[in-house]
Amino acid sequence: MRSAHRTRATALAVVTFLLTWGLLSTGSAFAAVAPDATGVGPLATTSAEYKFPATLDPEVVADLPVELWARVYRPEDLSGGPFPLVIFLHGNHATCGFGSNPRIDDRVDYTFTGTCPSGYVVTPSHAGYGYLADRLASWGYIVVSINANRGINAAPVTIPEDRGRNQARGRLILRHLQRLSEWNRLGGTPPSLGVDLKGKLDFSHVGLMGHSRGGEGVRAAYNFYRDAGSPWPARIGSTTFEGIFEIGPVDGQTNRQFIADGTLWNVLLPMCDGDVSNLQGVRVFDRMLGKPDAPASQKSTYTVWGANHNFYNTEWQISDSPGCFRHTPLWTLDQIGSADQQQTGLASVMAFFRGNVGPDADERFNQNFNPQYDLPDVVTTVTRVDQGFTDSPNPAVTKIFEDFDKPTGTNTYGFPNNASNITIDHTTVPEHTGPDAYGRQSVQRAGNMSWRAPGEDVFFQTNWSAAGTGQDITGFQTLDLRISRQPSGLNPPDSTNFSIRLAMDDGTLSRPVQLAKYTDLTGPVGGPYNVHSILQAARIELADFAGADLSRVRGVRFTFDDTASDAIFLANVRLSTLTGSGASLGSAGPPSARRAAAPAAAAGITSIVEGNTITSLRTVGAAEVTTLPNVEIEVTSTRAFPVQNELAVLRIGAREFAASRYPVSGDTHTLIFTLPGEEFAQATSGESVSVQYGRGESNLRWGFGALDKRLLSS
Amino acid sequence: MSGCLLALALLAACQSSIDSGPSPSAAPVSQNGNVIRSLRSVPAAPALGGRPGVEIELFRTQGFPVRGEIPVLRVGGREFLLSRYPQSGDTRSLIFTLGVDEFAQLKTGDEVTVQYGREGSGPRWNFGRLDKARLDR
């Protein structure tokens, strides 16, 4: 059985010993441990601020002046570079405070006037993530942490389409990116930063982190940049957002519901959040499960037991939460902040950005978000974290087996399910379901099941085909499911366990696997006001289902044969083509770390030259005075461009371009690359054009012949 | 400032691992120090795009903290989300703006509360009952 937090390190040590002496098979119930990303990097760091006078900027927000103010954390020596860029944005908070240890932030004068009354100081909310930003800088990142006090934080809830001003927060981020891009391309870095940023910022490797309303804000920025006809690409230039990390975000405080399709995304949910106390950030994950996602990108949830809302920001010095339900808080009120809680933030934020953002990103750090791996000691010695995960909702990566979206008794595909000696209904999950600030209802469907006595004849079986028929799932690697315990008198004192089997077309069953091998199902615990039945993921390798014939699978059977009684939610039973995500291709990761969707590596270089066409070259977006319009190059091939975690890269001569998308039709035989106008201008007709995955040398290339710039049309 | 210190003391008193009973403590409903300060007509409310409206100004000794969740005024069964702190910057006051038609549908005697977020899973502060006769007095 997978052990919980504090016991895991000990358990792993024992298993390592036993494996060393050949006493256990590699089929052990214990998972590999994700790497710890929190170490201090090799670079000395420094930080400084830029701050411009407030102006009325209607493109950010129309009713109050805003200012461009941020602290920049960076390696001291910028002689190398360019460096990947990470933007941080805090959440809604009072803008003036008094006293110290703790400072009490209880006025909002600065929002309106840019000053605080006598005895008060400006609340430096943007400086509260220094413990994260400085550590990232030590690994070669430039982190810009934005202050949104003026005109946004604590400002009137009066904009009909943007009640939380989170669209404004998104546009504020884009305005900062515009300035940073100008300094990067043209010069003009403010002297206060003490360094010239020209050529030092790598806009092909950008990450975003937002806390609370800043979470919805970073999602807004990402979406505004990608919108059809958006003015921001022309202002900022080509930008690749490689990942978004949110902490305790709000969701639905604007008239537009944002998701983070097409990029890696994680949400950290503080289990004892006393502000966003319904953990509504999980609904972003839920919503994305039903949306296209191109390019396919990992999504995850990371629910931290004992954490509150405020203490991920060291400048928010008073707890928002009076306590936790049925578990221990990571803070006490005689402390200002919580080092333990910050450690969980450090572990997850560092893993996310070091795993995904930058040319040297090591995606093994993504194992920290994949429940196929145990978390490192830096987390488990502090608290427990429940994980939710999907490799991607992209149908080329995951396939729905059962979403409980049909009436009780019926599978997603319309075929009858089986239930024996349990109660079940298809319903919604509290916390995952509820209204947002516009009354829009989030809905997460699940099977609501309970049993009162265990046995072989106590089961639920979902069937995705008619009796006597099955489907071939040999192209898949894992069976993924989401599960949580309901608050119920049927909950056992210990973790819940039961058997899971695959059912074949002829009614035969595979040998069982045990849920407890894949997740530790306990709780539910909660925050100060709510029990949280947050769904956590279990990922079962299909190879673990001994005796299964994967070419003719009809159903999945859950036999409640171990735990005496319980009441659970079961949701989103899906198949994934990927497993062990987080281990680099060809790396010495665990044996299971392989990728079915990746093209097979061949000895030497394989060039695909037949059936490839440059379909069009076209200018897009309105250019500003100082920039040329971007250019889209659309390429097609009879051999599809597979969806994979590695970025597709267009090479023209020696230049590489990684901003791409599939067409909205979803056809993966076509890829559209977006090039900054200035860079396209430097390319010359006759240079060779090719597509590959990843930068530099690649074993597999699609050749498209020579560039002919005369094809350019507007 | 004293209000904030009182809030701190209250928080300290209840901060703990809540481990009794089948569910967390019910969110508290309080009325001490909570006042409906005024009801006033505004001929052109910015929050309503310049249309006429009614502003309900509430005062809470312990303040309305600035949070991620949006403050929600509930009167009877209705919810109102348009709010602002006064230009003075004092977070002990919070002003909600209602359309004239919305205010007309409210009844004297309706209970007035404030919570954060529409689901209202956190604390809810009670401000007594609405007296529509106080409009513009």
Side-chain angles (χ1 to χ4, degrees):
Chain A
M1 179 181 292
R2 281 185 71 167
S3 52
H5 59 108
R6 291 174 195 274
T7 61
R8 286 189 179 172
T10 307
L12 257 294
V14 171
V15 169
T16 303
F17 174 83
L18 293 174
L19 281 173
T20 302
W21 295 97
L23 299 177
L24 287 178
S25 74
T26 53
S28 155
F30 294 89
V33 179
D36 174 3
T38 63
V40 178
L43 305 177
T45 63
T46 186
S47 71
E49 298 204 344
Y50 62 84
K51 183 176 182 181
F52 296 97
T55 58
L56 197 59
D57 184 349
E59 286 195 287
V60 175
V61 65
D63 63 345
L64 288 171
V66 294
E67 59 194 5
L68 295 182
W69 175 15
R71 176 160 284 273
V72 178
Y73 302 80
R74 63 173 175 85
E76 206 167 75
D77 178 4
L78 289 187
S79 58
F83 298 86
L85 174 63
V86 179
I87 304 292
F88 285 2
L89 181 61
H90 61 79
N92 202 45
H93 192 78
T95 53
C96 299
F98 73 95
S100 60
N101 299 321
R103 188 190 62 250
I104 295 174
D105 303 323
D106 68 351
R107 292 191 65 89
V108 299
D109 310 59
Y110 193 90
T111 306
F112 301 105
T113 66
T115 59
C116 291
S118 175
Y120 278 75
V121 297
V122 183
T123 305
S125 289
H126 65 304
Y129 311 105
Y131 68 105
L132 305 171
D134 187 69
R135 193 66 57 89
L136 281 169
S138 77
W139 287 100
Y141 294 85
I142 294 180
V143 181
V144 178
S145 189
I146 294 170
N147 184 295
N149 278 356
R150 191 74 196 273
I152 293 180
N153 257 19
V157 183
T158 51
I159 303 173
E161 70 277 11
D162 192 18
R163 289 176 176 161
R165 296 195 180 225
N166 300 338
Q167 294 191 22
R169 289 169 209 272
R171 292 188 292 266
L172 181 70
I173 291 170
L174 294 170
R175 191 64 94 201
H176 277 266
L177 283 172
Q178 180 182 352
R179 292 288 172 263
L180 291 162
S181 173
E182 288 166 0
W183 303 336
N184 191 48
R185 288 181 291 115
L186 309 171
T189 306
S192 64
L193 289 183
V195 70
D196 184 355
L197 289 177
K198 189 172 183 182
K200 300 303 179 188
L201 303 173
D202 188 348
F203 278 78
S204 61
H205 299 288
V206 177
L208 301 173
M209 189 287 283
H211 182 187
S212 196
R213 289 195 194 180
E216 190 161 50
V218 295
R219 236 179 300 136
Y222 173 69
N223 281 272
F224 288 154
Y225 180 88
R226 299 197 319 154
D227 280 346
S230 166
W232 296 104
R235 294 168 177 166
I236 300 169
S238 178
T239 303
T240 303
F241 295 98
E242 294 186 313
I244 297 175
F245 192 104
E246 300 182 32
I247 299 174
V250 302
D251 179 49
Q253 291 185 350
T254 86
N255 69 346
R256 181 171 165 187
Q257 287 184 301
F258 296 110
I259 56 173
D261 55 313
T263 193
L264 280 95
W265 181 87
N266 180 73
V267 62
L268 185 159
L269 301 168
M271 186 69 92
C272 309
D273 196 319
D275 180 343
V276 187
S277 58
N278 57 8
L279 308 190
Q280 58 198 252
V282 75
R283 298 173 190 173
V284 184
F285 181 91
D286 299 341
R287 206 158 60 236
M288 285 194 284
L289 288 180
K291 303 284 188 184
D293 183 41
S297 308
Q298 170 182 313
K299 319 291 181 204
S300 53
T301 66
Y302 190 94
T303 308
V304 181
W305 287 34
N308 67 16
H309 187 83
N310 281 356
F311 285 172
Y312 284 108
N313 184 321
T314 58
E315 294 293 342
W316 295 359
Q317 298 178 345
I318 296 175
S319 176
D320 50 283
S321 171
C324 302
F325 176 61
R326 284 187 176 159
H327 69 295
T328 306
L330 293 174
W331 75 91
T332 60
L333 285 175
D334 55 4
Q335 295 174 293
I336 299 169
S338 162
D340 280 349
Q341 182 167 326
Q342 288 166 29
Q343 189 161 312
T344 67
L346 194 66
S348 53
V349 168
M350 292 298 294
F352 186 82
F353 289 113
R354 290 185 66 195
N356 300 302
V357 176
D360 301 321
D362 183 344
E363 66 176 279
R364 283 174 296 185
F365 288 123
N366 272 327
Q367 294 169 5
N368 283 272
F369 306 100
N370 184 341
Q372 289 179 286
Y373 298 86
D374 279 339
L375 288 165
D377 287 353
V378 68
V379 177
T380 58
T381 54
V382 168
T383 190
R384 169 181 164 138
V385 172
D386 293 338
Q387 295 157 301
F389 183 88
T390 178
D391 286 307
S392 166
N394 186 311
V397 176
T398 52
K399 185 175 178 64
I400 297 169
F401 202 109
E402 169 68 281
D403 269 355
F404 300 96
D405 50 352
K406 292 288 190 298
T408 303
T410 304
N411 174 279
T412 289
Y413 299 98
F415 298 100
N417 290 332
N418 306 110
S420 171
N421 296 314
I422 65 168
T423 61
I424 177 170
D425 66 301
H426 294 191
T427 183
T428 57
V429 184
E431 303 286 287
H432 293 255
T433 301
D436 66 16
Y438 288 79
R440 293 167 300 209
Q441 193 78 12
S442 292
V443 174
Q444 169 62 48
R445 301 288 299 176
N448 168 0
M449 305 176 198
S450 62
W451 66 96
R452 293 174 178 275
E456 277 299 312
D457 60 345
V458 183
F459 67 83
F460 166 70
Q461 179 173 320
T462 177
N463 301 306
W464 71 345
S465 63
T469 68
Q471 295 196 44
D472 185 347
I473 62 169
T474 52
F476 295 92
Q477 300 291 333
T478 63
L479 178 74
D480 299 349
L481 54 91
R482 302 174 76 196
I483 194 164
S484 63
R485 291 209 306 209
Q486 303 173 31
S488 165
L490 295 173
N491 297 145
D494 301 320
S495 301
T496 298
N497 184 45
F498 52 79
S499 298
I500 305 171
R501 297 175 172 86
L502 296 181
M504 307 320 130
D505 55 2
D506 60 1
T508 59
L509 299 170
S510 72
R511 292 184 60 189
V513 300
Q514 301 301 307
L515 176 76
K517 178 180 174 181
Y518 304 95
T519 195
D520 181 21
L521 181 59
T522 183
V525 297
Y529 315 120
N530 319 60
V531 176
H532 298 312
S533 288
I534 298 295
L535 295 162
Q536 61 195 70
R539 309 194 71 204
I540 305 167
E541 294 222 20
L542 292 177
D544 289 358
F545 289 105
D549 181 348
L550 300 182
S551 68
R552 51 187 187 88
V553 170
R554 177 176 180 242
V556 182
R557 178 174 292 194
F558 303 87
T559 305
F560 305 107
D561 53 359
D562 187 354
T563 297
S565 69
D566 207 352
I568 61 171
F569 292 114
L570 176 66
N572 302 117
V573 181
R574 297 184 175 202
L575 296 160
S576 177
T577 58
L578 302 180
T579 185
S581 299
S584 297
L585 271 177
S587 77
S592 60
R594 57 188 181 272
R595 295 188 170 180
I605 295 174
T606 300
S607 290
I608 303 163
V609 294
E610 299 293 331
N612 300 341
T613 307
I614 299 176
T615 313
S616 72
L617 283 71
R618 54 182 179 260
T619 57
V620 291
E624 293 204 332
V625 176
T626 56
T627 61
L628 294 170
N630 289 343
V631 173
E632 285 188 347
I633 298 182
E634 182 171 327
V635 296
T636 63
S637 174
T638 52
R639 178 163 169 177
F641 302 103
V643 178
Q644 56 187 86
N645 288 332
E646 193 79 280
L647 285 176
V649 172
L650 175 73
R651 290 172 66 106
I652 303 177
R655 294 182 179 81
E656 296 183 339
F657 306 95
S660 73
R661 68 179 195 275
Y662 292 103
V664 291
S665 67
D667 183 358
T668 56
H669 294 82
T670 296
L671 264 180
I672 303 165
F673 290 87
T674 303
L675 286 59
E678 291 88 345
E679 296 190 38
F680 180 76
Q682 293 173 34
T684 56
S685 289
E687 287 187 303
S688 66
V689 178
S690 64
V691 170
Q692 62 184 46
Y693 284 83
R695 294 177 181 273
E697 293 306 314
S698 172
N699 289 330
L700 182 65
R701 274 186 202 156
W702 285 253
F704 290 88
L707 177 68
D708 183 354
K709 295 180 75 171
R710 293 173 302 177
L711 295 173
L712 184 65
S713 61
S714 55
Chain B
M1 293 185 191
S2 58
C4 296
L5 296 175
L6 176 59
L8 267 182
L10 288 171
L11 204 55
C14 60
Q15 191 269 344
S16 68
S17 172
I18 304 161
D19 199 16
S20 58
S23 61
S25 305
V29 179
S30 66
Q31 191 169 353
N32 291 342
N34 301 344
V35 177
I36 299 174
R37 183 172 267 176
S38 70
L39 286 72
R40 55 180 178 261
S41 302
V42 285
L48 299 172
R51 287 184 288 114
V54 174
E55 288 186 344
I56 301 179
E57 180 167 349
L58 306 177
F59 180 87
R60 181 169 184 266
T61 311
Q62 296 175 36
F64 298 94
V66 183
R67 288 183 174 171
E69 277 283 29
I70 289 178
V72 176
L73 170 71
R74 291 178 64 95
V75 184
R78 294 184 172 81
E79 295 179 344
F80 305 96
L81 276 71
L82 300 180
S83 73
R84 60 184 168 87
Y85 294 103
Q87 290 275 347
S88 71
D90 186 349
T91 57
R92 292 176 301 173
S93 290
L94 193 60
I95 303 161
F96 286 89
T97 305
L98 286 62
V100 171
D101 293 346
E102 291 175 319
F103 184 75
Q105 292 174 31
L106 305 181
K107 297 182 178 65
T108 289
D110 282 347
E111 187 177 54
V112 178
T113 61
V114 170
Q115 62 190 41
Y116 283 81
R118 295 186 77 147
E119 289 177 62
S121 52
R124 193 170 70 248
W125 299 315
N126 197 322
F127 289 81
R129 303 208 173 258
L130 180 68
D131 179 1
K132 293 181 72 172
R134 288 182 58 196
L135 181 63
D136 295 326
R137 284 191 179 173

